[in-house]
Amino acid sequence: MSTLRWSAFIISLVLIGLGISALEGARGGLKVEDAQVGSTPVSVHRLPGQPSAPAVVVGHGIGASRQVMEGYVLSLAHAGYVVVSLDFAGHGRHSDALHGDANQQAETMITQVKDVVTYALGLPWVDGRVALLGHATGADIMIQEAADDPRIGPVIALSSLSRAATAQHPDMLLMINGVWADDQRAQSLRVLQQINPAASEGRTIG
């Protein structure tokens, strides 16, 4: 192996080590517990010794897992929320496959979120309020779940192409997209413009 390749390899290892160290440091001070909601694996992150707080249920996108969402999970938990992240069927440590066509798969995932919301609201550290956060397909699932579940408060949609959001629901929706995510940004703007045709990025509408 050439000197350049060795150097790149060593730098990569150092960067991986620094990333792992930073992630472990971010877990510091948090109470982390793994559980099962039916067949769905979940992780609960919270600050111990704090008063009861709202829950945030976090869902990943297709091909990912709850570990991929840990950056958001840790930030929210350190901010005082009780964060419950899940692995959808066919992903992560979930033992079940995700069967059927796209509609059937969505129904399976929505049911999982509904069950995890029930679990989160039953935790002794949760004050009766719950928000949802999802990435990509997970964001669409969260928006669909919020449509007919009056228990849900705010919904945070990351990199979402969901067409389930309307001018009527969710009541509180935050859409976040990367600057280069042109399709997601365009769809988010269409959602905003259902409420106010003059809506633009970076504005609060409603």
Side-chain angles (χ1 to χ4, degrees):
M1 186 180 290
S2 69
T3 302
L4 183 61
R5 287 186 177 180
W6 268 115
S7 298
F9 176 70
I10 291 169
I11 291 169
S12 298
L13 288 179
V14 169
L15 291 174
I16 290 169
L18 289 173
I20 292 171
S21 176
L23 191 57
E24 288 301 320
R27 291 193 184 102
L30 294 177
K31 178 76 172 177
V32 182
E33 300 171 324
D34 292 327
Q36 291 280 135
V37 178
S39 59
T40 300
V42 300
S43 296
V44 181
H45 291 68
R46 62 185 177 88
L47 282 171
Q50 299 294 309
S52 60
V56 182
V57 174
V58 176
H60 56 80
I62 292 296
S65 68
R66 66 190 191 275
Q67 280 74 24
V68 171
M69 302 299 292
E70 213 169 51
Y72 301 101
V73 168
L74 296 174
S75 296
L76 288 166
H78 277 295
Y81 296 97
V82 179
V83 187
V84 184
S85 55
L86 71 146
D87 282 336
F88 286 118
H91 295 77
R93 295 185 180 275
H94 204 298
S95 59
D96 296 342
L98 191 57
H99 295 294
D101 61 21
N103 290 331
Q104 291 169 320
Q105 291 178 5
E107 285 301 320
T108 297
M109 296 165 80
I110 291 167
T111 298
Q112 284 185 260
V113 173
K114 194 179 298 291
D115 291 344
V116 173
V117 166
T118 300
Y119 169 79
L121 288 171
L123 293 172
W125 320 287
V126 173
D127 66 4
R129 293 175 291 171
V130 61
L132 306 178
L133 182 150
H135 175 255
T137 300
D140 178 57
I141 296 302
M142 297 304 187
I143 292 169
Q144 291 190 63
E145 159 59 12
D148 62 356
D149 192 336
R151 302 173 298 173
I152 306 302
V155 178
I156 304 164
L158 308 174
S159 300
S160 174
L161 284 170
S162 177
R163 297 187 180 276
T166 70
Q168 288 73 43
H169 93 87
D171 289 338
M172 292 175 282
L173 173 63
L174 174 63
M175 293 175 289
I176 302 174
N177 299 296
V179 68
W180 291 342
D182 293 336
D183 291 345
Q184 290 89 341
R185 289 173 62 190
Q187 176 58 18
S188 294
L189 193 55
R190 280 192 287 271
V191 172
L192 289 175
Q193 290 174 344
Q194 292 179 91
I195 304 167
N196 182 343
S200 60
E201 291 180 325
R203 293 182 59 196
T204 300
I205 304 299

